[in-house]
Amino acid sequence: MKKAIIGGALLACAAAQADVCVDGKVPAGNIIVEGVSNGVVRLRQDYRDSQPWFYWGFRVTGAEGKTLRFEFTDPYGGGPVSACGPAVTRDGGKTWTYPAEKSCSRRHFVHTFAADEKETWFYQTFQYYVTQWDEFLARHEADRGKVFVTEELCKSRKGRSVPCARFGCITKEPKYRVLYTSRHHCQETTGTYVLEGAVGAVFGKDELGAWLRENVEFFVVPIVDYDGAVEGDQGKGRKPHDHGRDYGDNALYPEVAALKRWIAARAQNRIDVMLDLHSPWVHGQYNEWIYLCMGPSEENNGRIRRWSRLLEEMQDGSLRYRTSNNIPWLFGWNGPWNYGSGISCGTWAWNSLKGICLATTYETPFAVSNGQVVTPDKCRALGATTAKVLRRFLTDPQAGVESAKREPGVFVFDWVKELGKYASLHAGVAKAVEFVKSRDVEKLKDGSYPIDGEKVVATVRKVGLVSAEKAKPVKSADAYELHIPLSGPEVFAVNGKDYGVGPRQFVLFEPSATPHAVGMTDDPLRHTSIRELVIRIR
């Protein structure tokens, strides 16, 4: 077997398949190839200067008419392949498909090359190349100087020109100012498509576009980690910290320092809304639906909830968003333990910018969102909806303030099927399923309800989660709780609009006088000693 280092990627070609070549020589390429033999390509992602993560991108040439199996040898996180398999392009990123959706796992996929398929590019997700931003602006060249102006944010650490732009009301003092950013983690490409859709609304010939151009000045940095986006880095968790944790007093990266100077000079540090676009982990719970992140400021969280209700109400794309999918502060990864390496853009914006009324983050999945396949156009549609939400949020202070509409029986529809999988394994779960199926949970009152000789207690009370690390109570709303006696640690099936936790979540607690959050899982019976199933319904 012949091996060579070319362009930062380890190439491997076996003598028996010398005509097949796998390498990272594509835009934003990232791969280490360990071997190619007997129709199997063994490979893994290149972390470079980042923490273990999942991004990869490579090309295959010389495989016309062949079927190859691609096996990722790095087991981190269960494997780096999404639910749809690789995003594949044969035309340099103009179009994307998921041809291996039915022949993949988290650690492998299979691809059959057509007889004329001379070169194919495979990525962990569809890309937004740095050249695409220029192509987007070029489509609106006639509006340059009137609806938008481009600037150089700074030179990157490797001497590249980092773009930024202002859109909308740029020729006079605007009524509102909005900051949009994406790619603090350079591999999170779905967020840049959302950003493009949100900004694109300013060119609309409709009434919304006219209002945006008259009233809002948008400050936009589409690709913050520009070097990483060009070179195909992981970006997330760079050492000593990444761009998304660089908003302290002494910025490590020139892009972050320049962004702060730009907002100070051009906007006089006055921003009304700040939206940072991200993508989550590659697969699994929370990572296959759109969500917004709550933070330590309850005032800002109230604004996020209001925005969330409007987004859910006004959405018209196929990537369905639910307010119940948002992730609360001090839940799972979302707490101070995740920000120990630095300060985020949202935290800086909320604490430092004058007059700010909302600072939040979208997390847009890479491949699947609430059962729908994610595509560039669907992400743009989410951005277009965001523009509509922005206008209503800014002009109608009462919009979204009302309580989120109730969804009776959400638990029944979302979880009975899932819990039913465990009925044969645990009698208590079977009883819980039957109880919920047989009753209108909206009509339950305080008191005891018999289940096959046992008791289920429905109560109405204030319930607070407690962080294991900080032991800081989290405020929560009144909720019905159905307690089904089992054995072992409590398992909370948490549900409810405006409660802030997704409808398909188990939150695990160790039994103690004061429960402490210890983790999340989509498989409660992986933890065999279950003491009590608690179904919480807002």
Side-chain angles (χ1 to χ4, degrees):
M1 182 182 298
K2 182 173 72 174
K3 296 184 178 181
I5 297 290
I6 300 179
L10 179 63
L11 313 185
C13 296
Q17 292 183 253
D19 52 336
V20 175
C21 190
V22 182
D23 64 50
K25 297 173 70 174
V26 292
N30 178 305
I31 203 66
I32 296 174
V33 182
E34 297 181 341
V36 182
S37 63
N38 299 320
V40 178
V41 181
R42 293 178 301 281
L43 66 175
R44 56 188 168 89
Q45 58 273 38
D46 186 355
Y47 295 150
R48 300 176 185 170
D49 65 345
S50 299
Q51 69 182 39
W53 213 239
F54 53 80
Y55 174 71
W56 47 268
F58 61 89
R59 69 172 180 173
V60 176
T61 56
E64 298 95 314
K66 295 181 172 63
T67 297
L68 297 179
R69 179 184 174 93
F70 297 85
E71 296 184 349
F72 286 83
T73 61
D74 187 339
Y76 179 75
V81 181
S82 79
C84 293
V88 176
T89 181
R90 295 180 61 190
D91 55 13
K94 294 182 177 65
T95 59
W96 297 92
T97 61
Y98 293 104
E101 183 177 4
K102 304 299 184 183
S103 59
C104 69
S105 70
R106 291 184 177 185
R107 293 183 62 179
H108 94 284
F109 66 87
V110 176
H111 185 82
T112 298
F113 295 81
D116 63 347
E117 198 168 346
K118 296 182 179 180
E119 180 171 332
T120 306
W121 298 0
F122 299 84
Y123 290 91
Q124 171 261 322
T125 189
F126 52 85
Q127 295 301 289
Y128 191 106
Y129 303 118
V130 295
T131 55
Q132 287 177 250
W133 180 248
D134 292 331
E135 293 166 3
F136 165 66
L137 296 177
R139 293 195 292 272
H140 302 285
E141 185 62 32
D143 290 313
R144 185 182 292 271
K146 295 176 289 185
V147 180
F148 78 97
V149 291
T150 57
E151 302 178 28
E152 180 184 81
L153 182 68
C154 65
K155 296 294 186 185
S156 72
R157 293 204 290 183
K158 296 187 177 181
R160 297 184 174 99
S161 178
V162 180
C164 63
R166 293 182 293 120
F167 295 81
C169 185
I170 60 172
T171 60
K172 64 177 183 178
E173 183 70 13
K175 187 173 183 179
Y176 306 105
R177 288 190 172 99
V178 172
L179 171 61
Y180 287 154
T181 60
S182 75
R183 307 286 281 283
H184 277 93
H185 304 134
C186 55
Q187 92 282 17
E188 296 177 2
T189 54
T190 61
T192 313
Y193 283 101
V194 177
L195 182 149
E196 184 182 296
V199 171
V202 80
F203 298 106
K205 304 306 181 184
D206 55 1
E207 195 266 340
L208 172 63
W211 184 88
L212 293 172
R213 292 189 294 272
E214 179 65 22
N215 292 281
V216 185
E217 181 179 20
F218 293 91
F219 292 78
V220 179
V221 182
I223 303 174
V224 177
D225 183 0
Y226 198 81
D227 285 335
V230 172
E231 298 182 5
D233 289 350
Q234 297 279 333
K236 177 77 171 182
R238 286 190 188 277
K239 300 170 183 176
H241 62 248
D242 60 41
H243 290 66
R245 299 292 181 269
D246 197 37
Y247 283 81
D249 292 335
N250 299 304
L252 178 64
Y253 302 103
E255 296 93 336
V256 173
L259 186 155
K260 294 167 73 174
R261 290 195 302 268
W262 187 48
I263 297 302
R266 291 287 193 181
Q268 295 76 52
N269 273 335
R270 184 180 73 78
I271 293 290
D272 295 277
V273 170
M274 179 270 172
L275 179 59
D276 189 22
L277 287 309
H278 285 260
S279 311
W281 178 251
V282 65
H283 44 56
Q285 130 182 304
Y286 263 108
N287 306 306
E288 293 182 354
W289 59 66
I290 301 160
Y291 65 88
L292 280 64
C293 297
M294 301 297 175
S297 168
E298 190 54 38
E299 181 183 3
N300 190 38
N301 289 341
R303 312 282 177 78
I304 294 172
R305 293 187 189 98
R306 186 161 77 88
W307 180 283
S308 296
R309 293 166 190 150
L310 294 175
L311 180 60
E312 183 174 42
E313 174 189 335
M314 301 174 72
Q315 63 187 333
D316 52 14
S318 60
L319 297 182
R320 310 310 294 172
Y321 163 75
R322 303 169 182 167
T323 58
S324 56
N325 289 162
N326 291 347
I327 185 167
W329 181 242
L330 301 179
F331 183 90
W333 63 263
N334 188 27
W337 45 88
N338 187 53
Y339 297 87
S341 60
I343 296 174
S344 70
C345 185
T347 299
W348 161 75
W350 181 256
N351 292 329
S352 303
L353 299 181
K354 295 180 292 188
I356 192 162
C357 59
L358 174 73
T360 192
T361 296
Y362 280 13
E363 296 279 356
T364 309
F366 288 110
V368 177
S369 179
N370 280 324
Q372 295 292 318
V373 175
V374 179
T375 67
D377 283 343
K378 291 176 183 178
C379 290
R380 291 188 183 102
L382 174 61
T385 298
T386 296
K388 299 175 186 177
V389 170
L390 174 71
R391 179 188 181 184
R392 192 168 172 202
F393 179 87
L394 291 173
T395 58
D396 183 357
Q398 295 305 309
V401 171
E402 67 278 3
S403 297
K405 61 183 179 181
R406 295 178 66 81
E407 291 191 2
V410 169
F411 175 85
V412 175
F413 299 126
D414 283 350
W415 258 112
V416 165
K417 182 179 179 181
E418 292 298 314
L419 286 175
K421 294 191 303 185
Y422 306 108
S424 61
L425 302 177
H426 203 297
V429 173
K431 294 172 185 177
V433 170
E434 291 306 313
F435 178 81
V436 175
K437 280 183 176 179
S438 64
R439 285 169 171 80
D440 183 347
V441 294
E442 289 293 312
K443 296 181 180 178
L444 290 175
K445 305 296 183 183
D446 291 359
S448 300
Y449 298 84
I451 297 184
D452 192 23
E454 298 187 54
K455 297 283 188 180
V456 172
V457 181
T459 62
V460 180
R461 61 175 180 170
K462 296 268 188 178
V463 182
L465 304 183
V466 180
S467 159
E469 185 153 333
K470 298 296 184 182
K472 180 179 179 180
V474 180
K475 294 180 180 178
S476 64
D478 292 337
Y480 290 98
E481 286 194 346
L482 313 181
H483 291 245
I484 296 90
L486 304 176
S487 60
E490 285 186 273
V491 179
F492 282 66
V494 187
N495 172 62
K497 303 290 284 183
D498 193 35
Y499 189 75
V501 180
R504 298 188 302 163
Q505 301 300 297
F506 280 118
V507 187
L508 303 183
F509 288 85
E510 294 290 355
S512 64
T514 304
H516 285 66
V518 295
M520 298 185 297
T521 179
D522 55 5
D523 186 356
L525 295 187
R526 187 173 65 193
H527 299 256
T528 56
S529 57
I530 300 173
R531 173 168 61 85
E532 185 177 54
L533 177 63
V534 180
I535 306 170
R536 184 179 299 171
I537 304 174
R538 175 77 152 81

